[in-house]
Amino acid sequence: MRIENALQARPEYRKTTASATPSKTFGQVMQTAKAQDRYVPSTPQPRSEPEFSLAERTYYGSVTVSNATQAKLKQLAEIDRQADYTGMSPEEIYAEIWNRYDEAFGGDMIAIKGYIAGPAEWCVVNNQFCDEVTRHIFNPAINAAWKEGVELDGRPYTEWTYEEKTALDRSCREKADKVVFDAKMKVLGYDGMSFDEREAAIREKYAGKNTTIDFLKMQNELQETGVLNNKMGWESARLYRAMLEVQLEDLFNPNSISAVGYEKHSLMTADQWYRVANQPFDTAQFAAAMKDNLHRVSGHNGWTEDYVKLLEGLFDHFITGAADDGLDSLLDAAIE
């Protein structure tokens, strides 16, 4: 069953080796086209879908989903009900599911899955995608790990202590998580790479691409491949993503809390997103805004001057692509 009116699936990004020194980074390319304000150009880009009237919307709780997306989700769910993955590896199953969703949503699945900005309906898309991955890959992997653990122990499971059962459950989830992650890396084309190689490959992939959706895709690939967690540590990566979300929400959602207040606030709709998705995105200006916000909240959070300096370096590194020889030493000091 084929998704109606969907774009062809983008070619898989298969890269066996990453260039250590790409010709130009994401930020460097965009610097050549810098303007005073590239967030909202005076002439909007052509719309990729029509305006959605109230009659053309479906509601999932507080989330508004356009009928176009709702139709795609229904077709994808039907394909899933008919799918037979017997004898397929986790990588093959993940590829089947990923390619269907990526085709249905115009090659934007990497941005949809990470969701640091965009229409609220992306949450519904990602939830359905994750449900399929959980049923067809994660659950079988966790069941296989549990069966293996019990068989290796040799005792009836009823004789296990609470602590032993808890340890087995934790181990099984970790193994299943790794199965899903490895399958995802295979499909995205980053399997077999170190974190540094993945980062270099991602930067090279997005060099020369300077729209809002390109920026989201790049940031989400850095997250999905584990590059951010590896470089920053889990806590700083979580903070970085949270600050990205806040800054992007303020920029692109006309009904953000900062713009209209909490009582009138509403999530971004597909209509609003299509007005900004393909606009040029100035990373230097965005990084500067992130730093301004960082300094406003640093005192309230009790962050030290060294930690603020570290975050500024990470903003430059991952937003503009700037090289900072002192960043690694700051990261080393933070870890110590």
Side-chain angles (χ1 to χ4, degrees):
M1 189 175 192
R2 187 174 181 81
I3 304 299
E4 295 177 0
N5 302 322
L7 299 178
Q8 292 297 310
R10 64 180 183 182
E12 292 185 24
Y13 182 62
R14 299 291 185 186
K15 191 172 184 64
T16 55
T17 58
S19 171
T21 55
S23 56
K24 288 186 178 181
T25 67
F26 185 68
Q28 288 171 337
V29 172
M30 283 186 281
Q31 285 300 312
T32 63
K34 183 177 180 181
Q36 286 187 338
D37 186 350
R38 303 299 294 277
Y39 293 143
V40 185
S42 57
T43 304
Q45 296 292 319
R47 298 289 302 284
S48 56
E49 290 199 27
E51 295 280 352
F52 301 121
S53 68
L54 289 176
E56 295 175 317
R57 294 172 176 172
T58 303
Y59 292 88
Y60 287 75
S62 62
V63 178
T64 304
V65 178
S66 66
N67 274 10
T69 293
Q70 172 68 358
K72 293 175 183 179
L73 289 173
K74 286 183 177 179
Q75 290 186 11
L76 287 163
E78 181 60 28
I79 292 173
D80 180 62
R81 282 191 290 270
Q82 298 177 10
D84 181 4
Y85 298 118
T86 303
M88 295 176 66
S89 68
E91 292 83 3
E92 292 170 331
I93 297 172
Y94 198 100
E96 285 284 324
I97 299 172
W98 177 270
N99 288 336
R100 284 201 296 265
Y101 276 78
D102 202 39
E103 177 185 4
F105 295 101
D108 290 342
M109 196 58 202
I110 191 64
I112 292 172
K113 190 175 188 313
Y115 192 60
I116 53 172
E121 66 178 28
W122 279 4
C123 293
V124 181
V125 176
N126 184 49
N127 287 343
Q128 183 169 305
F129 170 83
C130 290
D131 284 346
E132 292 186 23
V133 170
T134 298
R135 287 199 308 274
H136 300 301
I137 302 177
F138 182 84
N139 286 347
I142 203 170
N143 290 337
W146 187 89
K147 181 179 179 181
E148 180 184 26
V150 173
E151 289 178 349
L152 286 174
D153 183 85
R155 293 175 298 155
Y157 186 68
T158 54
E159 297 179 4
W160 287 39
T161 66
Y162 172 80
E163 290 75 18
E164 289 172 332
K165 291 178 180 179
T166 300
L168 177 63
D169 289 346
R170 181 172 58 250
S171 173
C172 290
R173 292 189 68 86
E174 290 173 353
K175 290 179 180 179
D177 283 336
K178 188 176 187 306
V179 169
V180 173
F181 181 79
D182 290 347
K184 177 170 60 177
M185 290 303 96
K186 183 74 173 179
V187 172
L188 293 180
Y190 301 114
D191 61 308
M193 290 185 181
S194 67
F195 289 111
D196 287 342
E197 288 172 334
R198 289 173 188 169
E199 181 180 348
I202 292 169
R203 289 183 181 279
E204 186 174 355
K205 179 179 180 180
Y206 288 97
K209 299 178 181 180
N210 69 335
T211 65
T212 301
I213 187 66
D214 292 325
F215 180 75
L216 296 192
K217 287 180 178 180
M218 180 180 178
Q219 293 300 318
N220 285 326
E221 291 212 35
L222 290 168
Q223 171 67 20
E224 292 294 318
T225 57
V227 170
L228 293 183
N229 284 351
N230 178 72
K231 188 82 171 183
M232 304 183 186
W234 182 85
E235 184 61 30
S236 292
R238 182 196 63 79
L239 175 62
Y240 172 75
R241 292 272 298 185
M243 293 191 72
L244 278 180
E245 290 179 18
V246 170
Q247 200 69 37
L248 290 166
E249 167 80 0
D250 287 347
L251 282 173
F252 296 126
N253 185 0
N255 297 318
S256 68
I257 293 176
S258 64
V260 300
Y262 182 79
E263 292 184 353
K264 295 182 180 180
H265 163 256
S266 62
L267 299 173
M268 196 173 190
T269 66
D271 293 344
Q272 294 162 341
W273 170 248
Y274 290 126
R275 295 188 179 97
V276 300
N278 296 311
Q279 292 179 357
F281 189 89
D282 188 334
T283 54
Q285 188 174 347
F286 184 76
M290 285 275 287
K291 291 178 185 178
D292 286 343
N293 188 39
L294 172 65
H295 285 281
R296 283 196 297 271
V297 302
S298 61
H300 175 74
N301 287 280
W303 295 332
T304 66
E305 183 178 342
D306 287 344
Y307 187 60
V308 171
K309 185 177 180 181
L310 170 62
L311 291 176
E312 288 182 323
L314 290 170
F315 291 171
D316 287 333
H317 183 78
F318 285 110
I319 294 175
T320 69
D324 183 353
D325 294 335
L327 180 58
D328 286 339
S329 61
L330 288 172
L331 286 167
D332 290 340
I335 293 173
E336 292 175 359

